[in-house]
Amino acid sequence: MKTIFYLIITSLICITLVAAAQKTTESSKNVILQASDIKATSQLLKQSANVITDRLKTYGLETTVSILSDKSQIKIQLPYNVNVSEIEGLLTTKGDLDFYETLTLTEINALLKNKNHQELFKIDSNVSPSDAKLGCSAFENQEIVDTMENCLKSINLLSDYKLLWGLQNSNSISCLYALKTNTSLTRSDIETIKSSEDKTTQSVTIEIKFKPASEEKWAITTINSLGKPIAIVIDDKVFYTPVVKTPMEKGLCEITGNFTQEEVNYFLALVNNELLQMELILK
């Protein structure tokens, strides 16, 4: 009788363990990142795994990240309901941060007129003079890039600016921007980046503090950009283009907009954690 009793208890324990394992499997999924260099060292893989873990934690996800050294891979266990495409940048983006002055479409047209060129761009009457979008598309349209390069070349500005695309908006549209190449401030100029929430309006603000040594350069950048956007760029992708309304002294910068906390957490996860030192590809 005791033997039968023990067998029943053992069976129940096994069933419970199997059910728990199935529940864990159903509530999570594995994502594999492949190092582009198949000879990536264990040290680099470990550093990358730590950066990704920290980024996902900042974003608000508790995950399990492990290294498959023999395959030069990193395995990430994510909650099953996470849309991987929405967080792919946290897993693969290096994290270089830059701030650039921009060139607006209105300024380009003014320069074209001064050079006696025929006006190339028709500006909608609803477009603000401070709008730095040079063209938008559902994909990174090379025709728009070629047109803008020819335009900048015609007014002798091609060597002074570079063209970068922005993130896709809620309508899956990306826009092109011209950024002044000799005015960049970088991640190394930053002291702190954080967010705050207005309890009354629930609006979220990104607060950036530059290091004392970079305060003057930031102030000059904002003076040069009064009434215009400054482009905040991560890995050659324009994230934000806040318009400068007043010169900013003491190294302060506040970015306001219709941000969700999730969007802000994504940005903070990239800029407040270490750089990825190797290229990783989502399998």
Side-chain angles (χ1 to χ4, degrees):
M1 180 66 71
K2 285 184 177 181
T3 302
I4 294 174
F5 178 77
Y6 288 142
L7 286 173
I8 292 172
I9 294 297
T10 303
S11 298
L12 288 173
I13 292 173
C14 289
I15 292 170
T16 301
L17 290 173
V18 170
Q22 287 178 340
K23 186 175 181 180
T24 300
T25 301
E26 291 172 358
S27 62
S28 64
K29 58 185 172 184
N30 291 328
V31 172
I32 300 295
L33 296 173
Q34 178 69 58
S36 58
D37 183 354
I38 60 173
K39 296 181 180 180
T41 64
S42 295
Q43 183 178 354
L44 272 177
L45 286 167
K46 183 178 180 180
Q47 185 267 357
S48 299
N50 289 338
V51 171
I52 290 168
T53 299
D54 291 340
R55 286 179 175 180
L56 293 174
K57 186 175 182 179
T58 302
Y59 183 68
L61 291 176
E62 294 293 338
T63 59
T64 300
V65 181
S66 55
I67 299 169
L68 308 176
S69 297
D70 58 324
K71 298 180 180 179
S72 297
Q73 293 177 343
I74 296 174
K75 183 172 76 172
I76 307 166
Q77 189 177 69
L78 292 169
Y80 188 77
N81 61 350
V82 171
N83 186 339
V84 178
S85 64
E86 292 180 358
I87 63 165
E88 183 176 351
L90 300 180
L91 312 180
T92 59
T93 297
K94 182 179 179 182
D96 281 323
L97 175 66
D98 297 279
F99 297 73
Y100 294 96
E101 292 179 27
T102 62
L103 185 67
T104 67
L105 199 57
T106 302
E107 289 176 313
I108 291 176
N109 269 322
L111 289 168
L112 287 171
K113 290 178 180 178
N114 291 339
K115 293 283 185 177
N116 295 319
H117 286 278
Q118 182 179 1
E119 186 173 0
L120 295 181
F121 304 101
K122 300 298 181 182
I123 302 178
D124 191 291
S125 58
N126 294 320
V127 174
S128 167
S130 65
D131 200 320
K133 300 182 186 72
L134 305 183
C136 299
S137 172
F139 58 96
E140 296 186 359
N141 192 326
Q142 188 58 41
E143 288 186 11
I144 296 177
V145 175
D146 292 341
T147 298
M148 292 311 307
E149 284 184 344
N150 290 334
C151 178
L152 293 178
K153 185 177 180 180
S154 72
I155 51 180
N156 301 317
L157 287 180
L158 186 58
S159 61
D160 299 326
Y161 288 83
K162 65 178 179 179
L163 301 174
L164 293 182
W165 290 95
L167 295 176
Q168 286 192 341
N169 62 21
S170 57
N171 296 318
S172 297
I173 298 296
S174 297
C175 297
L176 189 69
Y177 299 87
L179 313 182
K180 195 170 183 178
T181 55
N182 66 348
T183 61
S184 172
L185 288 106
T186 68
R187 176 190 272 254
S188 63
D189 295 299
I190 302 298
E191 188 170 280
T192 59
I193 302 180
K194 59 184 180 179
S195 67
S196 63
E197 182 180 2
D198 187 308
K199 300 301 182 182
T200 304
T201 63
Q202 278 76 54
S203 61
V204 182
T205 299
I206 298 173
E207 301 173 354
I208 301 174
K209 177 73 171 70
F210 288 88
K211 293 177 181 177
S214 302
E215 289 180 2
E216 183 178 358
K217 186 175 182 181
W218 174 242
I220 292 172
T221 299
T222 60
I223 290 170
N224 293 340
S225 300
L226 279 176
K228 293 171 48 182
I230 285 179
I232 300 176
V233 178
I234 298 179
D235 286 12
D236 285 340
K237 188 70 69 173
V238 178
F239 267 60
Y240 301 123
T241 52
V243 175
V244 179
K245 297 180 180 179
T246 182
M248 301 179 198
E249 300 178 349
K250 298 182 180 179
L252 298 176
C253 173
E254 288 190 351
I255 307 171
T256 58
N258 297 320
F259 307 129
T260 65
Q261 189 62 61
E262 189 176 62
E263 290 170 336
V264 172
N265 287 348
Y266 186 99
F267 178 73
L268 295 179
L270 289 176
V271 299
N272 280 339
N273 293 296
E274 292 184 26
L275 298 172
L276 274 179
Q277 299 299 329
M278 63 187 304
E279 183 179 354
L280 295 168
I281 301 168
L282 187 64
K283 290 198 70 177

